[in-house]
Amino acid sequence: MKTIKKQILLRMVCIAFALVSSITYAQNTNIETTTQRDGFIFEFVVGGGIISLEDSAGIQTFNKAQGAFVFPDLKFGYMLNDKLAITASLPGNIYEFEGNDRHFGGLIPSVQYWVKDRWWIHGGIGLAIDSPALYDIKDDVNDDWNFGCAVMASTGYEIYKKKNFALNIQSKLVLGRASLDGDAHRDAVIFNVGLGISWL
């Protein structure tokens, strides 16, 4: 009886040793610490934030901020080297104005630089766009498009990378001013936090 127990125990130990050995052998000892970034990049972001607006006409003031969904927030670009990219960003948030949904965003030429292997900073200056939300356009009520200037700064950290795919947590600040009819203007401050999904 003791012999059978010893044989079973010995076989279990051998199987466990073989399993541990195979797992250890399967581990990748050559973990790549840097990512090769090359060619075109594309990113979209899902998340939320706040938007605060002020009209020179006094209809809306910065005293009242609104929670907002990030929509759309896209980035297209090209890697100049493995740390620097030139990009075109389309940040923006939906906000409510006089019972209508509108969108304040921009088209911003920008640069992105990887300070560390996973941490990047991004910024630029470009065109501010204040427009009706595409699903809430009403003739002669919510159909005005306004343009101006916007500045953007953002930073992010890549929490997951595999080949040319990356997920990052990022925050973004956008300051913009759009000109309205009658020499008026609308200022906006947008702060967003989101999950970025990138191909680079």
Side-chain angles (χ1 to χ4, degrees):
M1 191 73 168
K2 286 184 178 178
T3 311
I4 294 173
K5 285 183 179 178
K6 283 183 181 178
Q7 286 179 353
I8 291 172
L9 182 62
L10 184 60
R11 287 180 182 167
M12 288 175 61
V13 169
C14 288
I15 291 170
F17 182 76
L19 183 62
V20 169
S21 298
S22 65
I23 290 171
T24 305
Y25 183 75
Q27 298 296 317
N28 185 1
T29 56
N30 297 323
I31 296 172
E32 192 175 326
T33 56
T34 59
T35 302
Q36 296 297 322
R37 302 177 188 94
D38 190 21
F40 290 97
I41 64 172
F42 171 73
E43 177 182 272
F44 70 91
V45 180
V46 292
I50 57 171
I51 181 169
S52 184
L53 295 119
E54 182 171 271
D55 277 25
S56 60
I59 299 170
Q60 196 155 344
T61 69
F62 278 133
N63 298 330
K64 197 170 184 182
Q66 301 179 30
F69 288 107
V70 174
F71 180 80
D73 199 330
L74 302 173
K75 183 195 303 175
F76 306 92
Y78 187 79
M79 297 299 303
L80 298 178
N81 57 50
D82 64 347
K83 285 185 174 275
L84 182 66
I86 53 170
T87 62
S89 292
L90 297 156
N93 285 30
I94 301 293
Y95 69 95
E96 185 182 347
F97 182 72
E98 296 184 328
N100 298 303
D101 285 348
R102 294 185 60 80
H103 172 266
F104 198 103
L107 174 58
I108 302 178
S110 47
V111 293
Q112 183 167 335
Y113 180 74
W114 277 261
V115 179
K116 299 284 187 184
D117 184 47
R118 291 178 180 258
W119 174 44
W120 51 259
I121 56 176
H122 182 224
I125 184 169
L127 179 69
I129 305 169
D130 175 52
S131 65
L134 297 178
Y135 58 83
D136 196 17
I137 298 176
K138 300 170 185 169
D139 290 339
D140 300 324
V141 176
N142 190 34
D143 60 354
D144 56 318
W145 289 67
N146 309 303
F147 301 94
C149 183
V151 177
M152 178 201 68
S154 67
T155 186
Y157 185 82
E158 294 170 349
I159 55 174
Y160 174 79
K161 295 192 300 183
K162 187 170 184 180
K163 295 186 179 176
N164 63 341
F165 175 78
L167 293 176
N168 64 70
I169 298 291
Q170 61 177 265
S171 62
K172 182 171 292 170
L173 178 67
V174 180
L175 308 173
R177 172 175 282 189
S179 298
L180 308 176
D181 292 336
D183 293 328
H185 61 266
R186 178 172 296 144
D187 295 328
V189 177
I190 299 171
F191 179 75
N192 292 331
V193 176
L195 176 69
I197 303 164
S198 306
W199 288 267
L200 43 103

